[in-house]
Amino acid sequence: MLENASIANRPVQPAQSTAASSNQETGNDRTRRLKNAYLQSRPTICMERAAAFTRSFKKTEGQARCLRLAKAFRHACETITINIFDDELVVGTHGSGRRMGALVPEISWKWLNEELDTIETRPRDPYYISPEHRKLFLEEIVPYWKTRSLEEKALAQFPAETLKTGVNTDILDTEMKWRSHVGEITPDFQDIVFPKGFRKIRDEAREKLEELKYTEIEDLDKIEYYQSSIEACEGIMTLGRRYAEKAEAMAKVQTDPQRRQELAAIGANCRRVPAESPRNFWEAAQMCWFVMMSCFLSENCPAFNVGRFDMFMNPFFQDDLETKTITGEFAQEIINCLWIKIAELIWLLPKSGSRYYAGYSGFTNLSVGGRNFDGSDAVNEISYMAVEATSRVGLPQPSLSVIIHPDTPEDFLLACCRLARQGIGFPAFHNDRVGVQMMMYAGLRPDDAREWTLLGCVVPHHRKVYEWTDAGGYNMAAALEWTLNRGRSRITGEQMGLPTKDPREFSSFNELKETFFTQVRHILNHCAISTIIEQRLHRQMVPRPFLSLLVEGCMESGSDLVNGGARYNIGPGWIVVGAADCANGLAAIRKNVFEEKNITMDQLLKALDDDFVGHEEIHEMLKNSPKFGNDDDYVDRLQVEMTDFNDRGLSEYTDILGNPFHSAIMGLTYNIPTGSVVGALPCGRKATTPLAEGCSPHPGTDTSGPTASMRSEAKVNHELHPGGTLLNLKLLPSAIEGQRGLAGMANLIRSYFELGGYHCQFNVISQETLRDAQANPDDYRDLVIRVAGYCAIFTELSPEVQNEVIRRTSHESL
Amino acid sequence: MERAQISREAKRTTAKGIIFEIERWSLSDGPGTRTVVFLKGCPLSCWWCANPESQSDRVQIGVFTGKCIDCDRCAEACDKGLALPAVKGGFSGNGPCRACNRCVSACPSKARRRMGEFVSASEVIKEIKKDSIFYRKSGGGVTFSGGEPFRQPEFLAELLATCKKAGIHTAVETCGLFNWETAADCIDLIDFVMFDLKHMDDRHHRRLTGASNSLVLENAEKMARAGVDMVIRIPIIPSINDSEENIRATAGFVREKLDTALGIEPLPYHRLGLTKYAALGLDYKLSDISSPDDDHIQAICHLITEERVRCFSPGSRYQKESNQSQLTRIK
């Protein structure tokens, strides 16, 4: 029905622009209608998944944990609402409607119990919850999971000092892995999902099972593992069947002939996938979606990644073009529909967590570009169409990442820059060379490493890897505060760090710096303690039967991801926050106290105690000291020392699978809550204000233009941080207009990457626009803005975060 | 060996000049990504000048009211009794001030800014080289602007020669009013020139810029004959120099006399320099004119194209095309 040879054979032109595309095409009408429906839907808490898990758990008491979770997953697949919305070409929801946050009570439920009356009105990321779901929660879910959640066990097992430093302190954010599930998986579409289909995967598990004996002690765990695999396969196949039935039933009563035909086709697609291998592009897209939404059904949490979308979808597209069964425009429409489905995936978080990860984002990353396994360039027509889809759809998810290498076609890079110039914050640009180095540092073979992909916001990842990329985040600025206050918080006066010597007695700058590193080490110790306890609990309580199907190695070895079944296991990553504030602060002390002796340590401490009030001259002197981000080695070298230390300090610890911890310097909106607990700092930052985000300069202090920012940033040894690093640059539209601006932007990227930078992203927007959006949110519902490495709808952010975005330095070249 | 080093060092520091700014990542001052070095001192004093501190060839002290915390440190520091906090009226920076810098160092809030610095060529080169990678990847380089860079010919020649030796593409932005003979050494070292023609009518030119355009036009012709890649720039000041007559006259001049020029680039007037006038205590003569909009600039481009001269609209690249040599003579 969609045959049109002339269109089918027309290559998709990257230069076809985008925002101004005509709306006469039905594809764009459909996209617009679906997007409107999306924007009108309200983020809602859904208890369907929690209820299914609870009911199933009640019936499986006494069985192996992995089997119980697999049966619960299957039960959820059998019972959740089946939704097919108007206009959709790709169907499926993981809850009762669009944009559903599903509670995962086996991890944590207490927070919702406490926030039940306030979650609809909380400042960041409010959620609606219906009376029925509220009732379900209070009457069925809470009574069962009381004393049974992972959260309760973790808090009971943490040593007292870890509790004191790492729970609700904003010094260590340990809650990432006891309040939320793990996520952080990229389904292996290339080698497992597409070539096999879940029926074949199930049959493989059955065969494995036949070889095992209940009489062999080593076999028992494997028997349970394969049984859980079979249950999980049955679960997702059931979903497909239920969607097929629904679509067929809807087709029967549909009066519009075009939609009837579409529904029939959707029904046929769901008859085929996910049980069997997809045979064409549309089926492949539907299968991709079934797997992504099932990831969210199994664990509502962030960073389930689509992976190298262009790489695994292009063969289907080329085959369909060959047989003239698809047109470029229809394929584009399917991709747009898939994008909107991905945007529906949201991550339900407590109030505390929403401060760190503002914007509802599910952090569903999707990567294009890069290189193939054999090293050749991987850009194909789907790469351009993915860029086009983000341009046309313009929603904060999927998190579109492009991987750039020296041989990346210039027109593809320019197409990406054109998208970035639209001001929606995408794509995120990543350097292939450094990504590969990071993966190799984490233990991958070079050829595997070439097929790396992005996870969450900026984390280098691979589909054959199991890891906790975000075990938590810690506040490095607290260590500087402790160094200058004998381990006490300057805000509360409480002893939080080590009681080191009186800073007035430091005889040299180096002594001060060493003391600072001692305080950092103290924090890192608690990072490691919390992670190891959490990992042990995850292994005992929340194996991952569905997700283990998607990663190579688990089926082969008969062990779940939590037991190290994946082909590659990488140690946990900890995110450092405020590195630049420490580098700036240490530089200011070195310059003003030790070298130029403009002030004494005593004067400095008094000024910090008073938050600079009454010490305006000292404050100005500190603010005007060298700042990271201006290509000034005096301070940039300290930033390198801070970040290098993060790698060395963390890699001293190994996790429960024997892999070293590693460093991440990204940030999300971590810099705001962490800043709120730190007093005045010697860099001139006032008490409780935000810290620097990720690896970026402190907001407003990189005043020497983007090339200087990039040169500073490139001094950091990015390959030492397999948890990712980020650089956000905000550019005013006037700086990058015309062909010159576009070429200038591409040049920034190529040059930064040649210098050894890892990631950069552009916030192209005017401050006026942002202020106007603050004042008139209704006029800017679709204004997508990047907050520290990811995108969110600007008007849905809290004023605090909005202000932060506005305050960031703009690089204007006039 | 040691002597060689010393003499190299000595050579490196022979030329000193006065500059007022180095701007990195400019996309609008020549091809590709550029670092722009602004040399201080200009024979013209155009009404619309966006960099009033570029005109004097002395170091000046600018005072910025917005940053002043009224601590009186500047007044205490000044041994001539000239300096006052900006919020109390500051100080105009002209007359008996020798820019000794005491008030600037004393100011804790950076409300007083030294405008202009005597620097050695090697110091400037060090800054220029920082962005080498960005030049290499974009076909960019360094641009010497001003002020009028040819007013410091020895300094400029050394900067240009060192950049050429380092493989850095060189460009100059000039107002055209300079002594050709003293600038001759420089001109051989320039890859690209942006040459301003502010008004073709000498009466207007004298009134608006304070000098005649006859030497400007003469130098433009010499520059064209010297074979340097050249773009002619017209600052578009609405109602001041944007009449059809002046645009056509400029384009006609380019077509007839500057046949090697790549084309004309209109530069939209803007008022971003206003605070610097206040900082220097100078009057701004054009305060009620607003920037031309895109349509206005398009109309100017249209006139230029009608005159059969290539027009580079704002944001377009100075791409040389295969038929470049004929571009200005589309006859």
Side-chain angles (χ1 to χ4, degrees):
Chain A
M1 67 173 165
L2 296 156
E3 279 179 30
N4 181 332
S6 66
I7 297 178
N9 293 323
R10 190 188 67 198
V12 180
Q13 290 298 324
Q16 273 181 355
S17 201
T18 50
S21 302
S22 116
N23 283 323
Q24 288 163 357
E25 300 154 87
T26 54
N28 280 349
D29 284 346
R30 184 197 303 274
T31 303
R32 203 180 52 243
R33 287 195 301 267
L34 282 169
K35 182 182 172 181
N36 283 340
Y38 173 90
L39 289 172
Q40 278 157 18
S41 66
R42 215 167 144 193
T44 301
I45 295 180
C46 176
M47 289 294 160
E48 289 190 349
R49 183 253 185 227
F53 269 60
T54 308
R55 286 165 195 167
S56 172
F57 258 69
K58 284 179 181 167
K59 288 188 210 144
T60 58
E61 217 68 67
Q63 300 179 17
R65 194 76 181 181
C66 62
L67 197 50
R68 297 184 74 189
L69 284 159
K71 286 179 176 172
F73 171 75
R74 182 176 178 177
H75 189 54
C77 292
E78 289 163 353
T79 53
I80 55 161
T81 307
I82 300 296
N83 292 305
I84 297 177
F85 302 117
D86 289 349
D87 289 314
E88 286 187 324
L89 296 175
V90 175
V91 299
T93 57
H94 68 288
S96 48
R98 293 178 159 108
R99 301 187 86 191
M100 291 290 141
L103 184 75
V104 181
E106 65 270 29
I107 301 283
S108 165
W109 54 269
K110 276 171 88 174
W111 67 269
L112 185 59
N113 205 28
E114 288 155 17
E115 284 188 42
L116 203 54
D117 294 328
T118 52
I119 194 157
E120 273 187 54
T121 52
R122 71 185 190 189
R124 282 193 201 80
D125 301 3
Y127 278 90
Y128 169 73
I129 179 166
S130 72
E132 306 86 77
H133 284 247
R134 171 192 287 260
K135 187 160 175 271
L136 209 53
F137 175 68
L138 290 172
E139 292 176 8
E140 208 170 318
I141 290 155
V142 173
Y144 180 79
W145 291 102
K146 211 168 219 167
T147 73
R148 288 187 166 102
S149 69
L150 187 140
E151 166 181 25
E152 290 157 279
K153 296 212 160 62
L155 292 177
Q157 292 182 10
F158 282 160
E161 212 180 332
T162 305
L163 276 176
K164 186 183 169 188
T165 334
V167 177
N168 298 328
T169 57
D170 293 322
I171 290 168
L172 260 74
D173 164 38
T174 62
E175 72 174 54
M176 192 58 209
K177 293 289 183 274
W178 51 260
R179 277 233 166 114
S180 215
H181 220 307
V182 177
E184 304 179 342
I185 286 292
T186 304
D188 194 341
F189 289 108
Q190 288 99 309
D191 299 332
I192 300 176
V193 177
F194 282 175
K196 292 182 181 169
F198 285 92
R199 190 185 312 282
K200 218 173 252 172
I201 298 173
R202 181 200 63 188
D203 292 346
E204 228 174 287
R206 281 183 178 165
E207 281 164 29
K208 295 271 190 187
L209 205 50
E210 275 169 22
E211 295 162 15
L212 299 166
K213 295 194 181 79
Y214 276 100
T215 50
E216 304 287 330
I217 181 71
E218 315 82 81
D219 283 4
L220 285 182
D221 285 348
K222 290 188 180 179
I223 289 172
E224 286 159 354
Y225 172 75
Y226 288 122
Q227 286 172 337
S228 77
S229 303
I230 294 165
E231 291 290 332
C233 288
E234 293 291 353
I236 190 169
M237 289 194 290
T238 306
L239 263 183
R241 229 175 4 253
R242 293 181 68 209
Y243 271 95
E245 286 159 8
K246 174 89 174 182
E248 288 156 2
M250 285 171 76
K252 275 194 194 125
V253 296
Q254 176 59 251
T255 50
D256 174 59
Q258 193 201 331
R259 184 59 182 160
R260 190 166 59 235
Q261 220 167 7
E262 283 171 5
L263 284 165
I266 291 167
N269 288 345
C270 299
R271 284 281 166 211
R272 175 79 192 179
V273 297
E276 317 293 341
S277 288
R279 293 162 302 187
N280 58 45
F281 188 80
W282 197 355
E283 285 178 0
Q286 179 64 53
M287 183 146 188
C288 173
W289 173 245
F290 271 135
V291 171
M292 295 313 296
M293 70 173 250
S294 299
C295 288
F296 258 70
L297 187 60
S298 78
E299 307 173 1
N300 178 286
C301 62
F304 288 113
N305 314 286
V306 180
R308 299 279 288 270
F309 185 74
D310 49 354
M311 211 182 240
F312 63 74
M313 290 300 283
N314 192 50
F316 294 98
F317 181 58
Q318 296 305 329
D319 285 353
D320 289 3
L321 284 180
E322 188 80 13
T323 55
K324 298 193 169 45
T325 49
I326 203 165
T327 63
E329 194 48 45
F330 188 63
Q332 183 71 59
E333 218 176 320
I334 291 172
I335 295 175
N336 296 356
C337 288
L338 179 62
W339 259 226
I340 292 169
K341 294 309 289 182
I342 291 172
E344 287 175 10
L345 297 171
I346 56 176
W347 171 27
L348 179 61
L349 273 171
K351 189 175 151 203
S352 52
S354 72
R355 297 177 310 147
Y356 285 81
Y357 305 90
Y360 297 107
S361 174
F363 294 90
T364 309
N365 207 304
L366 187 148
S367 308
V368 294
R371 285 185 298 162
N372 293 308
F373 188 77
D374 66 2
S376 59
D377 175 54
V379 169
N380 58 44
E381 281 169 83
I382 302 296
S383 323
Y384 291 97
M385 290 163 85
V387 171
E388 183 70 15
T390 296
S391 167
R392 289 196 198 175
V393 175
L395 288 173
Q397 291 288 315
S399 194
L400 181 70
S401 299
V402 296
I403 300 173
I404 303 296
H405 65 99
D407 204 24
T408 296
E410 195 64 13
D411 66 343
F412 180 64
L413 178 59
L414 290 175
C416 294
C417 289
R418 220 172 274 126
L419 172 62
R421 205 161 61 170
Q422 253 173 263
I424 60 171
F426 287 130
F429 295 90
H430 288 85
N431 184 357
D432 181 60
R433 170 162 59 95
V434 177
V436 166
Q437 285 172 342
M438 286 169 164
M439 294 317 293
M440 286 169 63
Y441 178 45
L444 264 67
R445 285 172 49 88
D447 45 8
D448 280 337
R450 277 183 216 124
E451 283 191 335
W452 70 291
T453 186
L454 273 303
L455 174 150
C457 50
V458 298
V459 185
H461 188 66
H462 192 281
R463 61 187 192 274
K464 299 184 193 300
V465 163
Y466 165 68
E467 63 179 323
W468 286 12
T469 64
D470 177 0
Y474 81 90
N475 186 337
M476 195 183 239
L480 183 57
E481 173 160 297
W482 298 345
T483 307
L484 298 172
N485 204 27
R486 309 197 62 188
R488 289 174 188 281
S489 159
R490 207 174 285 285
I491 290 184
T492 63
E494 198 180 349
Q495 187 75 41
M496 298 296 289
L498 300 170
T500 44
K501 85 195 256 190
D502 186 332
R504 291 167 196 83
E505 289 164 20
F506 289 132
S507 57
S508 68
F509 174 71
N510 273 342
E511 191 186 1
L512 183 149
K513 199 172 73 187
E514 285 313 311
T515 309
F516 164 75
F517 284 134
T518 307
Q519 295 283 11
V520 177
R521 255 186 224 107
H522 173 72
I523 297 181
L524 295 182
N525 185 42
H526 290 295
C527 293
I529 291 171
S530 66
T531 298
I532 286 165
I533 291 172
E534 289 160 9
Q535 283 189 322
R536 189 177 65 167
L537 283 170
H538 275 258
R539 185 153 72 176
Q540 293 164 351
M541 298 179 70
V542 284
R544 310 167 80 190
F546 174 69
L547 297 168
S548 298
L549 301 174
L550 310 176
V551 181
E552 189 182 300
C554 295
M555 178 67 76
E556 291 80 351
S557 63
S559 50
D560 189 283
L561 289 171
V562 293
N563 291 315
R567 162 109 163 265
Y568 288 109
N569 289 283
I570 297 179
W574 270 86
I575 300 169
V576 59
V577 188
D581 299 285
C582 295
N584 291 344
L586 289 170
I589 297 175
R590 175 193 262 176
K591 179 174 164 27
N592 295 303
V593 178
F594 289 98
E595 285 176 4
E596 296 178 6
K597 298 189 167 51
N598 298 322
I599 51 171
T600 64
M601 181 62 83
D602 191 52
Q603 281 175 298
L604 172 69
L605 299 179
K606 287 209 174 85
L608 297 179
D609 279 339
D610 298 340
D611 198 16
F612 306 115
V613 176
H615 306 270
E616 282 70 25
E617 285 176 44
I618 293 179
H619 192 203
E620 291 301 324
M621 182 190 296
L622 296 172
K623 279 202 290 188
N624 293 324
S625 296
K627 296 285 180 276
F628 174 68
N630 296 289
D631 198 8
D632 177 353
D633 268 343
Y634 188 87
V635 55
D636 292 354
R637 286 293 139 207
L638 283 165
Q639 171 81 349
V640 175
E641 235 180 296
M642 300 295 106
T643 50
D644 280 2
F645 184 85
N646 204 47
D647 160 57
R648 270 198 303 278
L650 281 165
S651 58
E652 281 171 23
Y653 297 95
T654 47
D655 74 352
I656 64 168
L657 295 171
N659 297 302
F661 281 59
H662 67 251
S663 164
I665 326 176
M666 32 166 189
L668 318 165
T669 50
Y670 269 44
N671 59 326
I672 297 172
T674 47
S676 72
V677 299
V678 177
L681 287 175
C683 53
R685 170 199 154 278
K686 299 269 284 175
T688 72
T689 59
L691 301 171
E693 56 175 14
C695 210
S696 299
H698 187 92
T701 61
D702 50 333
T703 53
S704 312
T707 58
S709 296
M710 286 180 151
R711 282 181 51 87
S712 283
E713 192 70 26
K715 292 172 195 174
V716 169
N717 296 304
H718 293 266
E719 72 279 9
L720 290 178
H721 310 283
T725 61
L726 74 81
L727 173 66
N728 286 340
L729 285 176
K730 196 161 77 179
L731 298 173
L732 288 187
S734 55
I736 44 166
E737 62 194 10
Q739 297 161 284
R740 258 183 224 170
L742 200 66
M745 210 166 167
N747 170 245
L748 281 179
I749 296 161
R750 293 262 191 212
S751 305
Y752 181 53
F753 287 175
E754 185 153 318
L755 285 167
Y758 167 66
H759 154 274
C760 67
Q761 215 151 345
F762 299 92
N763 219 339
V764 182
I765 204 108
S766 72
Q767 298 190 331
E768 286 77 359
T769 307
L770 296 181
R771 289 204 190 89
D772 197 37
Q774 263 185 319
N776 307 297
D778 287 339
D779 299 341
Y780 292 93
R781 291 282 299 169
D782 64 346
L783 180 59
V784 178
I785 192 113
R786 178 142 294 264
V787 183
Y790 70 95
C791 284
I793 293 172
F794 179 76
T795 53
E796 290 186 356
L797 299 170
S798 71
E800 200 184 353
V801 177
Q802 290 177 341
N803 288 333
E804 167 71 14
V805 170
I806 293 173
R807 208 162 40 239
R808 286 188 55 78
T809 311
S810 296
H811 301 286
E812 189 165 16
S813 180
L814 289 160
Chain B
M1 179 72 186
E2 199 177 84
R3 191 184 302 160
Q5 243 168 21
I6 291 168
S7 70
R8 205 159 46 226
E9 188 64 32
K11 199 177 168 208
R12 210 183 290 159
T13 54
T14 44
K16 271 207 161 200
I18 181 164
I19 64 169
F20 66 92
E21 204 168 323
I22 297 180
E23 188 203 346
R24 291 163 69 175
W25 201 60
S26 165
L27 303 178
S28 325
D29 298 283
T33 297
R34 311 196 73 85
T35 293
V36 185
V37 181
F38 292 91
L39 283 76
K40 204 163 169 348
C42 185
L44 302 183
S45 49
C46 305
W47 290 8
W48 52 83
C49 179
N51 293 317
E53 77 277 34
S54 72
Q55 296 176 7
S56 158
D57 57 6
R58 292 170 48 193
V59 178
Q60 291 165 290
I61 308 293
V63 292
F64 294 85
T65 318
K67 289 186 170 179
C68 178
I69 56 173
D70 196 13
C71 65
D72 268 338
R73 286 298 185 96
C74 49
E76 289 161 23
C78 182
D79 57 8
K80 291 197 165 58
L82 291 168
L84 271 180
V87 291
K88 289 182 184 149
F91 144 74
S92 72
N94 295 316
C97 173
R98 298 257 167 242
C100 70
N101 221 39
R102 289 201 187 97
C103 64
V104 176
S105 335
C107 177
S109 65
K110 292 207 166 167
R112 306 182 81 80
R113 197 164 80 212
R114 197 173 160 83
M115 292 172 151
E117 203 62 66
F118 281 97
V119 288
S120 67
S122 61
E123 287 171 90
V124 179
I125 294 292
K126 196 177 154 199
E127 199 62 24
I128 292 170
K129 283 184 175 170
K130 282 183 174 175
D131 280 350
S132 294
I133 195 162
F134 296 91
Y135 312 150
R136 217 158 50 229
K137 294 242 153 212
S138 68
V142 64
T143 297
F144 298 101
S145 180
E148 173 47 56
F150 288 122
R151 296 251 290 188
Q152 302 183 53
E154 282 171 35
F155 181 54
L156 182 63
E158 180 161 346
L159 288 169
L160 288 167
T162 317
C163 287
K164 289 302 291 176
K165 210 181 282 174
I168 296 172
H169 180 271
T170 57
V172 166
E173 280 175 311
T174 176
C175 74
L177 192 62
F178 59 87
N179 180 317
W180 184 268
E181 277 64 45
T182 55
D185 284 352
C186 298
I187 286 160
D188 290 343
L189 299 164
I190 297 171
D191 296 317
F192 192 87
V193 69
M194 286 151 281
F195 201 112
D196 274 16
L197 293 182
K198 300 173 206 292
H199 214 297
M200 292 306 289
D201 182 322
D202 194 40
R203 272 178 312 136
H204 289 302
H205 198 276
R206 284 173 194 269
R207 183 171 60 91
L208 297 167
T209 72
S212 160
N213 68 7
S214 60
L215 183 57
V216 174
L217 299 178
E218 188 187 318
N219 281 340
E221 288 187 50
K222 285 180 177 163
M223 194 66 85
R225 282 200 295 276
V228 184
D229 281 349
M230 176 163 64
V231 166
I232 301 302
R233 293 176 144 190
I234 314 175
I236 301 298
I237 327 293
S239 80
I240 301 289
N241 73 340
D242 65 337
S243 67
E244 180 171 344
E245 188 191 358
N246 187 47
I247 301 301
R248 287 197 190 274
T250 312
F253 175 73
V254 172
R255 187 185 60 236
E256 300 303 328
K257 307 277 188 178
L258 311 179
D259 59 353
T260 59
L262 304 182
I264 296 180
E265 180 181 22
L267 293 180
Y269 165 72
H270 63 79
R271 307 204 297 172
L272 297 164
L274 272 179
T275 51
K276 292 196 283 191
Y277 279 82
L280 291 168
L282 299 172
D283 289 334
Y284 191 66
K285 293 184 188 166
L286 288 180
S287 46
D288 55 350
I289 292 179
S290 54
S291 303
D293 58 19
D294 287 351
D295 290 346
H296 192 135
I297 296 297
Q298 283 317 311
I300 302 275
C301 289
H302 185 69
L303 289 178
I304 294 168
T305 316
E306 269 188 4
E307 289 293 325
R308 304 192 307 279
V309 174
R310 185 169 182 194
C311 181
F312 298 101
S313 57
S316 66
R317 300 175 79 181
Y318 306 118
Q319 263 165 339
K320 265 206 198 176
E321 289 170 15
S322 49
N323 57 344
Q324 185 58 64
S325 56
Q326 277 111 52
L327 271 173
T328 53
R329 289 168 291 168
I330 320 166
K331 283 177 181 167

